[in-house]
């Protein structure tokens, strides 16, 4: 056991030696720590203490040894130490005093430090409060800046400032009450911005609405310039003239004349307020609401464009122009808005507004259309509407309903033209003198020829070679009607000059109106005037009808050339052509009636005494009057008739005379004709034949004499009957050549009535059944009479079933 302790002690002594030799506390501790770690409770600590004491004792012994060795030096050192100690004590006192002084100063300093610390806390609080105040003031500044920007109309800048305030600056002052207050005010401020920008947009929309009419006026003016340029191109190039306005070729040809309707010297439309409003509402997440509000506003503005009524009677159609210009400007802005924005205006919404405005305008125009009673005024109205259609067609708007309106306008226009020309035709027909038209000079002649469908004869082809005054065959109504016809055609086609797609309607309406006017107002009026008892007037009407028929034939060709529909083909046939032809035939019959009536009146004055016993020395008065009448109508009344009609009339008149004269001896009341009466009748017929043969060659007497063949042959038969040679009529070998025109029954009847000259010379009584001789002669006459009656009965049996021949 002592050995073990001794070993531990030796180990600890070494460790203690190392500790004592350590140069620093850390080395000391480094040596001590392992000993303490390895210590086993107090058993290890006690030896350590003993080791330390042992070392201490060794050191004291060594010191004592050193001191004993150097005692004197030690004593002096001790004294010196004593002195030092006294000085040390003194210094300690001073130090203590100084310590107390320092302590007092320290307490004061502590108080001051505490005060400083307190002041630093207050200062920190002040600094914090100042910073908080600065932050809050910045927030308030930004909030006020938002309102200042609103006041300056910088809506987007205000919205950005509000966004910065909400997302940046308010987050820095969230611990303050002001942040909560401003946070609550942000939605209200956003509403203020939205309302402010909508107010500006409404102001812009109001200005746009006020500018719409002027914008439409500028667009109309630009379209009119395009029309002029297209007409100029058409004058220089016929191919370009075949293309309408807004066609692809016209648009390409007009590319060099680009014009921005929305931005020019006259008008500028700035869409910035709309873009700003869209952007702000998009930033606010209110795009759908803004789109709906904008659409509702435009619908209300559309309604404000349409007036309650429309006056179409102002001189320049200003009311209609203002309405259509406003609609055009409104629609142009809608198209531009749709092109410049995305998803703001749907195509269906724009088309709906356009169609609504068109229907409203159509309703207003249709309601006021009945007040327009002037075709020129209606043509001006059509011109304004056509300009509107062409302008909007260039903006790709549908104009189908407006084309329907033009069709309505054309119906009204054509009816007004028809009424006006109907009145003109009626006045022309009623005021005409129905006399051949006199021409005073070459200018007048040229004008009449240029407007009339009349081909003058070869000797009148050059107006300068004609002797004036001269007479044209028709009356003055004919050129006047021709002028009106040309004017009607021109004015009808004026309707299609600018824009009218229903060209076939124009062609059809023109034909129908011409037919109706010519038939109802000219032809029927002339037919009504055929009731006149004056042959000269009827002859002039017939002449006019002849020229009207030719004019209608020429007019058909003119209508083919002038028709506006390029797809139409084939000839055009006017009903008026046939109507005038029928009327001409009616007039011919009327002239025949008047001539026949006069002839009949004259022949009724023929007072033949068929039992007369003397031969007159001169022609009967009625025959003289009849030939004089024929001469007069040929040289005056019928002179103006066309040659074909004139010849036909002469031939028919002579045929009627022939038939009337033939009926005189064949009258059932005439039972017996003396040869003296037959001689008078033959003399009158001969006078008539001589008159016809003496007519000038221009009347074709050779042909006219043929109409008297039956009368001449009957007269010849009567002459033979008087000579007692009537049996030749029944000789078939000679009768066909000499009496081929004489009806067999009538010839036999006439032979039965005519008394022979020999019977009178023998003193026979007037009765054909008695004679002046004896019984033998009586028997001979009775036998001859019986034979003649037998022959007559035979002819009646053979020809009794035949109807009366047509004398014409």
């Amino acid at each position: 056991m002592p050995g073990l302790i001794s070993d531990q002690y030796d180990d600890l002594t070494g460790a203690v030696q190392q500790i004592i030799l350590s140069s620093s506390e850390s080395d000391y501790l480094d040596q001590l720590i392992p000993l303490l770690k390895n210590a086993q409770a107090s058993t290890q600590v006690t030896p350590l203490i003993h080791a330390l004491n042992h070392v201490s004792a060794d050191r004291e012994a060594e010191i004592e040894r050193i001191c004993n060795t150097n005692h004197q030096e030690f004593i002096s050192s001790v004294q010196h130490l004593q002195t030092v100690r006294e000085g040390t004590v003194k210094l300690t006192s001073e130090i203590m005093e100084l310590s107390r002084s320092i302590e007092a100063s320290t307490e004061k300093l502590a108080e001051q430090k505490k005060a400083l610390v307190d002041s630093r806390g207050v200062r920190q609080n002040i600094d914090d409060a100042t910073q908080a105040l600065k932050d809050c003031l910045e927030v308030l500044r930004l909030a006020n800046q938002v309102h200042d920007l609103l006041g300056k109309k910088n809506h987007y800048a205000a919205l950005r400032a509000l966004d910065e305030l909400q997302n940046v600056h308010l987050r820095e002052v969230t611990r303050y009450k002001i942040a909560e207050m401003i946070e609550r005010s942000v939605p209200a401020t956003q509403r203020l911005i939205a309302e402010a920008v909508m107010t500006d947009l409404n102001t812009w929309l109001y200005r746009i609405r006020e500018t719409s009419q002027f914008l439409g006026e500028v667009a109309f003016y630009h379209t009119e310039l395009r029309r002029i340029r297209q007409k100029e191109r058409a004058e220089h190039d016929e191919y370009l003239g075949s293309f309408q306005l807004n066609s692809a070729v016209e648009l390409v040809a007009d590319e060099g004349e680009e014009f921005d309707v929305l931005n020019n010297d006259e008008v500028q439309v700035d869409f910035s307020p709309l873009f700003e409003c869209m952007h702000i509402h998009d930033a606010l997440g209110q795009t759908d609401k803004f789109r709906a509000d904008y659409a509702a506003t435009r619908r209300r503005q559309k309604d404000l464009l349409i007036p309650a009524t429309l006056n179409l009677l102002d001189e320049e159609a200003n009311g209609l122009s203002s309405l259509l210009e406003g609609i055009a400007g409104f629609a142009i802005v809608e198209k531009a808005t749709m092109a410049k924005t995305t998803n703001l205006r749907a195509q269906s919404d724009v088309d709906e507004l356009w169609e609504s405005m068109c229907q409203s305008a159509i309703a207003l125009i249709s309601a006021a259309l009945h007040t327009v009673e002037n075709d020129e005024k209606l043509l001006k109205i059509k011109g304004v509407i056509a300009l509107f259609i062409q302008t909007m067609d260039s903006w790709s708007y549908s104009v189908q309903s407006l084309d329907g309106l033009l069709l309505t306008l054309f119906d009204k226009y054509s009816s007004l033209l028809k009424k006006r020309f109907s009145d003109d035709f009626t006045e022309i027909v009623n005021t005409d003198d129905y006399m051949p038209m006199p021409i005073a000079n070459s200018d007048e002649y040229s004008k009449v020829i240029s407007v009339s469908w009349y081909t003058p004869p070869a000797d009148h082809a050059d107006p300068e070679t004609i002797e004036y005054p001269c007479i044209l065959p028709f009356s003055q109504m004919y050129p006047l009607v021709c002028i009106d016809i040309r004017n009607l055609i021109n004015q009808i086609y004026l309707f299609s000059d600018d824009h009218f797609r229903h060209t076939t309607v124009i062609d059809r309406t023109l034909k129908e109106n011409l037919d109706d006017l010519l038939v109802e107002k000219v032809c029927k009026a002339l037919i009504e005037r055929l009731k006149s008892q004056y042959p000269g007037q009827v002859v002039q009407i017939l002449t006019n009808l002849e020229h009207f028929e030719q004019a209608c034939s020429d007019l058909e060709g003119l209508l083919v050339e002038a028709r506006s529909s390029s797809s139409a083909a084939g000839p055009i046939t006017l009903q008026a052509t046939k109507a005038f032809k029928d009327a001409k035939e009616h007039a011919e019959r009327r002239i025949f009636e008047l001539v026949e009536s006069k002839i009949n009146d004259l022949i009724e004055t023929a007072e033949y005494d068929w039992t007369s016993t003397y031969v007159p020395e001169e022609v009967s008065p009625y025959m003289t009057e009849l030939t004089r009448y024929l001469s007069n109508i040929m040289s005056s009344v019928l002179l103006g008739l066309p040659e074909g009609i004139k010849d036909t009339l002469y031939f028919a008149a002579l045929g009627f005379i022939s038939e009337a004269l033939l009926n005189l001896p064949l009258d059932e009341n005439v039972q017996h004709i003396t040869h003296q009466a037959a001689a008078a009748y033959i003399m009158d017929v001969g006078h008539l034949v001589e008159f016809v043969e003496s007519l000038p060659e221009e009347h074709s007497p050779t042909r006219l004499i043929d109409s008297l063949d039956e009368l001449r042959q009957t007269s010849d038969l009567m002459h033979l009957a008087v000579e007692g040679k009537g049996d030749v009529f029944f000789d078939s070998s000679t009768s066909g050549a000499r009496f081929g025109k004489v009806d067999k029954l009538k010839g036999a009847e006439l032979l039965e009535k005519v008394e022979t000259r020999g019977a009178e010379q023998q003193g026979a009584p007037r009765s054909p059944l008695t004679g002046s001789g004896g019984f033998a002669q009586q028997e001979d006459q009775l036998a001859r009479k019986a034979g003649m009656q037998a022959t007559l009965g035979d002819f009646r049996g053979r020809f009794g079933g035949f109807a009366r021949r047509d004398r014409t």
Side-chain angles (χ1 to χ4, degrees):
M1 190 65 159
L4 179 61
I5 294 172
S6 177
D7 293 336
Q8 291 179 349
Y9 178 79
D10 290 337
D11 293 335
L12 290 174
T13 300
V16 170
Q17 289 295 330
Q18 292 179 358
I19 292 171
I20 293 173
L21 294 176
S22 298
S23 60
S24 64
E25 290 182 359
S26 61
D27 292 338
Y28 168 79
L29 291 175
D30 290 339
Q31 299 295 329
L32 183 61
I33 288 172
L35 294 176
L36 293 177
K37 286 183 177 180
N38 296 325
Q40 296 179 359
S42 61
T43 59
Q44 189 70 24
V45 175
T46 300
L48 178 61
I49 294 173
H50 287 307
L52 289 174
N53 289 334
H54 178 72
V55 172
S56 176
D58 289 343
R59 287 288 185 266
E60 286 179 357
E62 186 179 356
I63 291 170
E64 185 178 358
R65 182 180 58 78
I66 292 172
C67 287
N68 289 332
T69 304
N70 300 300
H71 178 73
Q72 191 61 37
E73 292 179 0
F74 180 73
I75 292 300
S76 59
S77 296
V78 168
Q79 291 177 348
H80 182 68
L81 287 172
Q82 187 68 32
T83 303
V84 171
R85 183 178 179 186
E86 290 177 356
T88 302
V89 171
K90 184 178 178 180
L91 289 175
T92 301
S93 300
E94 291 178 359
I95 289 172
M96 290 299 294
E97 185 64 26
L98 181 60
S99 177
R100 285 192 293 273
S101 175
I102 290 173
E103 184 178 358
S105 297
T106 300
E107 290 177 356
K108 184 178 180 181
L109 182 61
E111 291 178 359
Q112 290 179 351
K113 183 177 181 181
K114 182 180 179 182
L116 178 61
V117 170
D118 292 342
S119 65
R120 284 181 176 176
V122 172
R123 182 179 177 181
Q124 184 64 39
N125 291 337
I126 291 173
D127 289 343
D128 292 342
T130 301
Q131 185 62 39
L133 185 59
K134 287 181 178 180
D135 294 339
C136 293
L137 287 175
E138 180 65 17
V139 170
L140 287 175
R141 185 188 68 78
L142 289 175
N144 291 331
Q145 184 182 13
V146 171
H147 291 277
D148 291 341
L149 291 172
L150 276 178
K152 295 177 182 179
K153 306 294 184 182
N154 294 331
H155 305 116
Y156 183 65
L159 184 64
R160 290 187 61 185
L162 182 64
D163 183 69
E164 181 182 355
L165 174 65
Q166 183 181 16
N167 296 320
V168 178
H169 297 282
L170 282 183
R171 292 182 179 180
E172 297 177 357
V173 293
T174 54
R175 59 187 180 276
Y176 305 121
K177 190 72 174 178
I178 191 173
E180 182 181 352
M181 295 174 60
I182 293 178
E183 184 71 29
R184 288 199 303 268
S185 70
V186 167
T189 306
Q190 289 178 339
R191 285 195 298 274
L192 285 176
I193 295 174
E195 291 173 359
V197 76
M198 282 301 296
T199 300
D200 284 357
L201 180 65
N202 289 334
T203 302
W204 178 77
L205 288 173
Y206 174 76
R207 291 175 181 171
I208 287 294
R209 184 170 69 85
E210 293 296 316
T211 311
S212 292
Q213 181 179 343
F214 184 62
L215 179 63
E217 184 179 350
V218 172
F220 283 11
Y221 176 72
H222 173 60
T223 303
E224 185 63 34
L225 292 180
R226 288 175 57 204
R227 282 182 179 176
I228 295 173
R229 290 195 293 269
Q230 179 63 10
K231 288 180 180 178
E232 292 175 351
R233 285 190 289 267
E235 291 174 358
H236 292 86
D237 190 336
E238 184 177 354
Y239 175 73
L240 291 178
S242 62
F243 295 97
Q244 299 295 325
L245 207 68
N246 296 321
S247 63
V249 173
E250 186 274 334
L251 292 175
V252 171
D254 205 60
E255 282 181 345
E257 303 290 342
E258 291 186 2
F259 180 80
D260 189 355
V261 176
L262 297 169
N263 187 14
N264 51 76
D265 295 337
E266 300 294 335
V267 61
Q268 296 84 32
V269 179
D270 183 12
F271 285 87
S272 298
L274 176 62
F275 299 151
E276 182 182 24
C277 194
M278 288 179 60
H279 191 66
I280 287 176
H281 280 83
D282 182 59
L284 294 175
Q286 299 177 0
T287 303
D288 293 339
K289 179 178 180 299
F290 171 69
R291 187 184 298 113
D293 291 344
Y294 183 84
T297 302
R298 292 299 281 171
R299 282 194 294 271
R300 289 193 297 270
Q301 287 191 324
K302 178 266 297 182
D303 294 335
L304 293 175
L305 282 175
I306 310 300
T309 58
L310 182 63
N311 180 19
L312 296 178
L313 298 180
D314 57 327
E315 186 65 24
E316 299 297 330
N318 292 325
L320 178 62
S321 295
S322 299
L323 171 64
L324 297 183
E325 287 167 357
I327 293 175
F330 184 95
I332 289 172
V333 170
E334 283 295 292
K335 277 287 185 181
T337 302
M338 190 171 64
K340 293 176 181 291
T341 60
T342 303
N343 297 328
L344 175 62
R345 302 293 288 150
Q347 182 69 49
S348 59
D349 293 338
V350 175
D351 291 341
E352 180 183 356
L353 283 179
W354 165 251
E355 192 62 30
S356 175
M357 290 187 293
C358 287
Q359 292 302 326
S360 298
I362 291 171
L364 284 173
I365 295 172
S366 300
L369 198 58
H370 71 280
T371 62
V372 181
E373 296 297 336
N374 183 275
D375 55 274
E376 295 181 358
K377 178 64 181 175
L378 198 62
L379 197 61
K380 290 182 179 180
I381 293 173
K382 182 266 174 182
V384 175
I385 296 175
L387 186 62
F388 172 65
I389 291 175
Q390 290 177 326
T391 301
M392 303 319 296
D393 190 28
S394 65
W395 285 86
S396 301
Y397 277 106
S398 172
V399 294
Q400 184 175 1
S401 58
L402 295 171
D403 283 336
L405 174 63
L406 287 185
L407 193 57
T408 302
L409 289 179
F410 177 71
D411 290 340
K412 175 77 173 180
Y413 178 74
S414 61
S415 64
L416 289 177
L417 280 181
K418 183 178 178 181
K419 181 179 182 301
R420 177 158 70 87
F421 282 98
S422 175
D423 295 339
D424 288 350
F425 284 176
T426 301
E427 182 179 1
I428 290 171
V429 172
N430 291 337
T431 58
D432 191 54
D433 57 4
Y434 294 96
M435 296 291 289
M437 186 175 182
I439 301 297
N441 51 58
S442 60
D443 290 340
E444 186 176 345
Y445 182 86
S446 298
K447 290 179 182 179
V448 172
I449 297 302
S450 65
V451 299
S452 305
W453 286 279
Y454 171 66
T455 303
D459 56 342
H460 284 185
D462 186 2
E464 300 300 330
T465 62
I466 301 175
E467 294 184 5
Y468 297 99
C470 67
I471 301 296
L472 293 178
F474 43 77
S475 64
Q476 65 180 1
M477 70 166 293
Y478 175 68
L480 292 178
V481 171
C482 289
I483 291 174
D484 272 1
I485 291 174
R486 294 182 186 273
N487 288 337
L488 175 61
I489 294 173
N490 292 334
Q491 293 187 36
I492 281 286
Y493 283 119
L494 275 178
F495 200 88
S496 63
D497 277 355
D498 297 328
H499 173 85
F500 191 69
R501 296 176 178 173
H502 306 279
T503 53
T504 55
V505 175
I506 288 185
D507 298 331
R508 183 178 66 253
T509 302
L510 176 59
K511 176 184 176 299
E512 292 174 353
N513 286 354
L514 283 175
D515 260 337
D516 191 53
L517 289 172
L518 290 173
V519 172
E520 298 295 329
K521 299 302 177 181
V522 179
C523 185
K524 289 188 176 180
L526 292 178
I527 291 175
E528 184 66 24
R529 287 186 172 272
L530 290 176
K531 297 178 181 179
S532 171
Q533 298 297 323
Y534 300 100
Q537 185 175 13
V538 177
V539 167
Q540 187 60 60
I541 291 174
L542 174 59
T543 303
N544 290 348
L545 290 171
E546 175 81 11
H547 286 88
F548 275 122
E549 181 186 2
Q550 181 59 44
C552 287
S553 179
D554 295 340
L555 184 58
E556 291 171 349
L558 177 63
L559 292 179
V560 171
E561 296 176 0
R563 59 185 168 194
S564 55
S565 176
S566 58
S567 61
I572 292 178
T573 303
L574 291 174
Q575 298 297 324
T577 307
K578 184 177 184 302
F580 280 116
K581 181 179 180 181
D582 295 341
K584 185 180 69 172
E585 295 175 356
H586 186 184
E588 292 174 3
R589 290 194 298 270
R590 178 57 181 163
I591 294 176
F592 298 159
E593 290 175 2
L594 292 175
V595 172
E596 290 173 358
S597 176
K598 180 64 176 177
I599 292 173
N600 193 54
D601 291 342
L602 291 174
I603 292 178
E604 285 181 353
T605 62
E607 297 179 353
Y608 285 109
D609 182 6
W610 301 108
T611 60
S612 173
T613 58
Y614 71 94
V615 178
E617 297 179 357
E618 57 185 12
V619 178
S620 302
Y622 89 92
M623 181 57 68
T624 304
E625 186 68 24
L626 178 60
T627 54
R628 184 182 299 113
Y629 172 72
L630 291 176
S631 177
N632 289 337
I633 64 171
M634 287 182 178
S635 60
S636 60
V637 177
L638 305 182
L639 186 62
L641 285 177
E643 293 300 326
I645 298 177
K646 189 189 307 181
D647 293 344
T648 302
L649 179 62
Y650 292 165
F651 194 87
L654 292 174
F656 178 77
I657 293 173
S658 175
E659 184 175 358
L661 291 178
L662 287 171
N663 289 333
L664 291 177
L666 294 174
D667 188 275
E668 60 182 9
N669 295 322
V670 178
Q671 300 296 328
H672 177 69
I673 302 175
T674 64
H675 71 88
Q676 292 89 350
Y681 181 80
I682 293 170
M683 182 187 301
D684 291 341
V685 171
H687 179 75
L688 177 62
V689 173
E690 290 176 1
F691 166 76
V692 174
E693 291 176 341
S694 65
L695 290 175
E697 287 297 327
E698 62 185 20
H699 295 305
S700 302
T702 304
R703 177 175 177 273
L704 293 179
I705 204 68
D706 292 341
S707 63
L708 300 178
D709 282 349
E710 184 178 5
L711 180 62
R712 293 170 61 194
Q713 293 178 11
T714 301
S715 173
D716 188 23
L717 179 60
M718 291 181 68
H719 179 72
L720 291 177
V722 170
E723 295 293 334
K725 302 176 182 178
D727 293 340
V728 176
F729 179 71
F730 302 105
D731 185 356
S732 59
S733 61
T734 59
S735 177
R738 189 171 182 180
F739 305 106
K741 298 290 186 179
V742 179
D743 183 85
K744 300 303 181 182
L745 293 176
K746 292 181 178 179
E749 183 179 354
L750 191 60
L751 290 174
E752 183 181 0
K753 292 183 178 182
V754 175
E755 179 185 77
T756 63
R757 183 178 301 161
E760 182 180 351
Q761 291 174 349
Q762 294 174 2
R766 292 184 180 180
S767 172
L769 299 179
T770 60
S772 57
F775 183 74
Q777 291 179 343
Q778 292 181 3
E779 285 184 350
D780 181 64
Q781 289 182 0
L782 287 174
R784 184 184 300 173
K785 184 67 174 178
M788 185 177 294
Q789 288 177 347
T791 305
L792 180 60
D794 179 62
F795 276 99
R796 283 175 179 167
R798 292 172 59 190
F799 299 104
F802 283 77
R804 181 168 172 247
R805 293 189 304 166
D806 183 11
R807 300 300 186 201
T808 60

